[in-house]
Amino acid sequence: MCGIAGIAGFSGRVASLTNLEAMSDTLTHRGPDGAYADVSDGVGLAMRRLAIIDVQGGRQPYFNETRDVRVIFNGEIYNFRELRSSLEAKGHSFHSHTDGEVIPHLWEEYGEDFVRHLNGMFAIALHDARRQRLVLVRDRIGIKPLYYSICDSSVVFGSEIKAILASGLTERTLDVDALGQLMAWEYIPPPATLFRDIRKLASAEMLVVDLRSRRTAVRRYWDLPMDRSGTSEGQPNDARAWADRIESKIHEAVQRQMVSDVPLGAFLSGGVDSSLVASMMGDNAQAFSIGFDDPTYSEVQWARRVASHLGLRHRVDVIKPDIGSAFDTLMHHMDDPIGDFSIFPTWLVSRVARDSVTVVLSGDGGDEVFGGYETYVAQQASTYWRRIPRVLRDGLLAPAILGLRPTRAKKGLVNKARRFVEGAALPGELGHTRWRVFLTERQRETLFTPEALAIMPTPAGAHIQALAERAPCSDPVARGLYIDLNSYLPDNCLVKVDRMSMAVSLEARVPLLDHELVELAFRVPSALKVRRTATKILLKQITARRVPRDCVYRQKEGFSIPIKNWLCDELRPMMEDLLAPATIGAEGLFRPDAVERLKREHLAGRANHSHVLWTLMVFQDWRRRWAA
C-alpha cells in the first residue's frame, strides 16, 4: 500500500524534482515506511510506501530487465505468485519477492492488456521510456483512487488531489457543476472533481498518454460479463447450489487477501458482511469494533456475540464521539469530499485497529453485490404506492406522512415513512437510487443562486441514466446493482474506506469485491438476492451457516452516527460558523435565506435536513482549506 504521484512532461519537457518531492510530502500518511522521488527521461515519479509484502526488499519503483519500463503503484496484487511463475517460465527475472514487480514484465508481454491479468486493488502509473508513453490504471472496482490533470506542459497525477495541488501546475478553479452533484448525491461522479482542471479515473479505466504527440485516451478495460437478463450462465434457481458456489468463492478471496508480512486483522461491525469475512479468517484472528453510547446507533452487542461464537481476539471501544475535535483531521483527508457521515466511525475503528495491525479485511461491497440495501425494498413498495388513487396519495397520505416530526432515533417507522414518500416523489427512471437523492432538482433551484444555476447544466441523475443505459442486463434488481457497483460503491463507500484507513496508515482490503467473485455473484438470479421485503437473501443464508441466525436475520443498521442530533447540540457552533449568512452571501453560490431556513427547520425538529446541512458544512470547510 502506498501513495503515488508524478509529473510527465510533454515534448521533452523535464519534470521538476522539487515539485515532485512536494507532492510526495502530502502523501506521507499513505506511506510512512519509505519514500522515492526521481526524474528520468523527463518523467518524474514519486511514492510513499507502507510496507506490507517483502518488507525489506519490496521498494518501488519496479523495473523490467532493461530498465526502460518503470512502475509505481498503490495497492496489492493478490495473484502475484502465480503471475511471477508464469513470467519466469517466459524468461523474465525478478529482484524481489514483492507483488508489484510483476507489472513491468506483464507490460512487456501483453502491452495495454497487462491489467487483465491482475487480481487485486490498485492504482498504477507506468512509464515506458522507449515508447514515450505514460499509462495510468485504476482497478476494476475502484478500490484505490487515482487523480490527474492535463496541463499545457505536462500530465500531473496522484493518489489524492492534494498531491496534484502541491505540484503548483494546476489552477484551483471551482467546478460549480460538480458542486451540484455533490449536494444531490453526497459524492461527485467521475470524471469530475470540485476542481475544474482535476479529473479522476473511474473504476476499470486506463489513461494512456503519448508524451510525444500529447494525445491522451481514456478507455474502460473491464465490465461485468452478463447478458441482458443478468443471468448469463442460465443456471437453475437452486439456492443451495448457488450458496455452496458463492461461499467457496468468498473463502478463496478471503484466503487470497490474507497474504501479508505484517500483522493483519478485520473490522467487525456485527453485520452480515463483516461477520462472514471474519468467519473465514481462521482461528484466533483479530477483530476490531467500536460502539456508541447512543444504543440506537450501536451494534456492539452483535459484534461481541459474533466474535465470541467465532473465537476471535476481539477489541471493542465504546465511545462518546467528539466529532468537533476530530473535524479538522477528517476534513484534511476530504480533498475530494463526500457527504457521508460514516467517515467518522470508519476513522475511529481504523485508529483502534492500527494500534495492533497494519492490514485489515473489511466487509464492504456485500450490499452492492448481493442486494443489501433497503432502497431495493422501497423500489418494489413504490409499485403499490403508485396504485393508490392520486387524489388520496398526493392529496392526503403524502402530506400527512411528511407532516410527521422526525424522531431522534436512527431509523424507526416515522423516519422510514418520511424518507419513502420523499423518494417516491422523484423520477421513476432513477430506480432505487431515488432514495439516495438528498437534493432534488426543485430544491436545487431554491438553494443555489441564479448565477450558480446558470453554470450547473448537468441534471442530478445524469450519471445514473448513463449507467442504466450501459448496464448489460434488463432485470431491474441486476441493473440497480450494476449501477451501485459503478457509482455509489466506488464514489462514496470506497472513498470513505480508503481515506479514513489511510489517514492512520492502515491498509483496508475488501475480499467481497474480488473481481472474480463479483463476476460470479452477478450471475446469481436476482430472486436469490432481493425478493419483496427480503434483502441479501443468498449471502444471509451463507452467513447463517457460520454465525448465530439471530445475528444474521435482524434489522439492518448500517455504520452511522447521530449527526442529525449532533447538529442541534455539540456541532451547532461549528454549523453556525461555517454556514454564517455573511459567509454564504459573499460566496454567491447559495442563497443565505435558503440555508437559514434549513437550519431553523432542523433545529426546531420540524424536518431532518442533516444530509444537506452536513454536506454544506463539508463543502464550506473544503473551500476554505483547498480552494482559497
Side-chain angles (χ1 to χ4, degrees), residues 449-523:
T449 64
E451 294 78 12
L453 290 169
I455 50 176
M456 198 181 295
T458 306
H463 71 296
I464 299 298
Q465 303 253 8
L467 287 170
E469 293 171 6
R470 193 181 85 190
C473 50
S474 57
D475 173 83
V477 171
R479 187 170 62 247
L481 290 170
Y482 179 88
I483 290 169
D484 281 351
L485 191 78
N486 287 282
S487 58
Y488 183 66
L489 176 68
D491 302 327
N492 184 305
C493 302
L494 295 178
V495 171
K496 169 192 66 180
V497 175
D498 174 79
R499 304 307 188 277
M500 295 299 100
S501 60
M502 284 280 88
V504 297
S505 305
L506 177 74
E507 174 173 298
R509 301 177 180 176
V510 281
L512 295 181
L513 294 176
D514 177 286
H515 81 271
E516 296 176 10
L517 169 61
V518 171
E519 290 176 355
L520 177 62
F522 267 80
R523 296 186 176 108

Side-chain angles (χ1 to χ4, degrees), residues 174-180 444 449-458 589:
L174 174 68
D175 186 333
V176 178
D177 197 33
L179 175 59
R444 173 194 282 196
T449 64
E451 294 78 12
L453 290 169
I455 50 176
M456 198 181 295
T458 306
L589 294 169

Side-chain angles (χ1 to χ4, degrees), residues 574-604:
M574 183 184 298
M575 178 176 70
E576 298 288 5
D577 172 54
L578 288 169
L579 306 185
T583 302
I584 298 295
E587 292 172 344
L589 294 169
F590 305 104
R591 298 174 185 262
D593 58 331
V595 176
E596 285 300 296
R597 178 183 56 80
L598 292 173
K599 287 159 57 178
R600 284 196 308 271
E601 292 178 355
H602 186 87
L603 292 170

Side-chain angles (χ1 to χ4, degrees), residues 248-258 511-512 514 517:
S248 175
K249 199 67 175 178
I250 294 173
H251 185 268
E252 178 184 319
V254 169
Q255 294 305 305
R256 180 187 290 140
Q257 295 193 22
M258 288 182 67
L512 295 181
D514 177 286
L517 169 61

